[in-house]
Amino acid sequence: MVDIDETAGLLTITIDGFLTPDEVPVLAATLGGRARDAHAAGRPFDVLVDSRGFPVQANDVADGLALIMRGGMALTPGHAAVVVGSHLNKLQAERTLVHPRLRVFMTLDEAKAWLADRRGPVPA
């Protein structure tokens, strides 16, 4: 599921389950389209990925997700917070999703607070 909150400048992605290597390009197309929509709105946006129900993936899938992340981050000067469901997921995400504007968290509250600190007040 992908949701764009234009008022808050936030693209929220919820992902769960296992992916096969064949499913990664489909996910890339879906997420890329939504990120391009957010970019076309004309203001920077942050990304919140809720992957608490997304177990550790096969290496080729994890590498594909890293490519999706790099493409999405190129569309915004905003930040990305990824929430994972286990310490093992955190290790995999930190190994594969390397970007200076991205952090991995164990709780949704920590991720939202980190994004809010970088975004500043939401315009009225």
Side-chain angles (χ1 to χ4, degrees), residues 10-34:
L10 185 65
L11 177 70
T12 302
I13 301 164
T14 304
I15 187 168
D16 55 16
F18 284 102
L19 289 179
T20 66
D22 293 339
E23 292 171 313
V24 173
V26 175
L27 178 64
T30 300
L31 295 178
R34 296 305 303 265

Side-chain angles (χ1 to χ4, degrees), residues 87-122:
H87 288 285
L88 190 56
N89 286 93
K90 190 170 191 290
L91 291 171
Q92 184 179 50
E94 288 174 337
R95 177 184 65 81
T96 58
L97 303 178
V98 178
H99 194 280
R101 293 181 281 120
L102 182 144
R103 296 289 179 275
V104 180
F105 299 91
M106 294 291 298
T107 71
L108 202 51
D109 288 341
E110 288 176 312
K112 288 179 178 180
W114 182 78
L115 287 172
D117 284 347
R118 269 124 202 90
R119 186 178 325 125
V122 176

Side-chain angles (χ1 to χ4, degrees), residues 47-64:
V47 178
L48 176 63
V49 179
D50 183 352
S51 63
R52 292 174 291 175
F54 193 62
V56 171
Q57 302 290 310
N59 285 335
D60 52 352
V61 170
D63 292 342

